[in-house]
Amino acid sequence: MALLIYGLDTDEIGTGRSWRDTLAELLPDLEVRVFPEVGETSEITYLAFMRPDFDAIPPLPNLRAMFSRSAGVESFINHPNCRRRRSAKSSLRAATR
């Protein structure tokens, strides 16, 4: 299980190192990677970003959740490299039919 940070390395909200250090302190069992140091993509289950370039991010086959640091999802929600998964709510709804 790993978190990939993309685009959060800005003067506005901290450096990649500060994000990594803070998350390591709060979530010691979570491996935190800062783009472009992606490593094995199958290990990445979470993506945190601000203004992402989804053409630059490699496919993340086991991605479970994305966390946006900026408002709005219009810029990425329909991007072809963002796999859509059913939400837990829609999965429960389908299972109870």
Side-chain angles (χ1 to χ4, degrees):
M1 181 170 65
L3 165 73
L4 177 62
I5 294 175
Y6 180 93
L8 297 182
D9 200 4
T10 68
D11 291 334
E12 300 170 18
I13 58 174
T15 65
R17 182 185 184 106
S18 67
W19 279 96
R20 186 184 346 230
D21 293 348
T22 300
L23 290 169
E25 190 176 309
L26 297 172
L27 303 165
D29 294 332
L30 180 66
E31 180 183 355
V32 179
R33 303 173 188 174
V34 179
F35 188 86
E37 298 172 17
V38 176
E40 177 57 48
T41 59
S42 66
E43 297 171 354
I44 297 172
T45 50
Y46 305 106
L47 175 64
F49 57 85
M50 185 168 171
R51 298 181 195 100
D53 176 0
F54 283 104
D55 291 324
I57 299 171
L60 305 172
N62 295 316
L63 188 65
R64 294 183 186 160
M66 297 188 298
F67 307 100
S68 175
R69 179 63 177 85
S70 56
V73 297
E74 296 81 13
S75 65
F76 66 86
I77 194 69
N78 291 318
H79 193 283
N81 289 349
C82 290
R83 292 183 15 190
R84 295 188 107 176
R85 292 188 178 215
R86 293 165 52 145
S87 68
K89 184 177 181 180
S90 66
S91 295
L92 287 172
R93 188 178 313 126
T96 57
R97 287 186 184 165

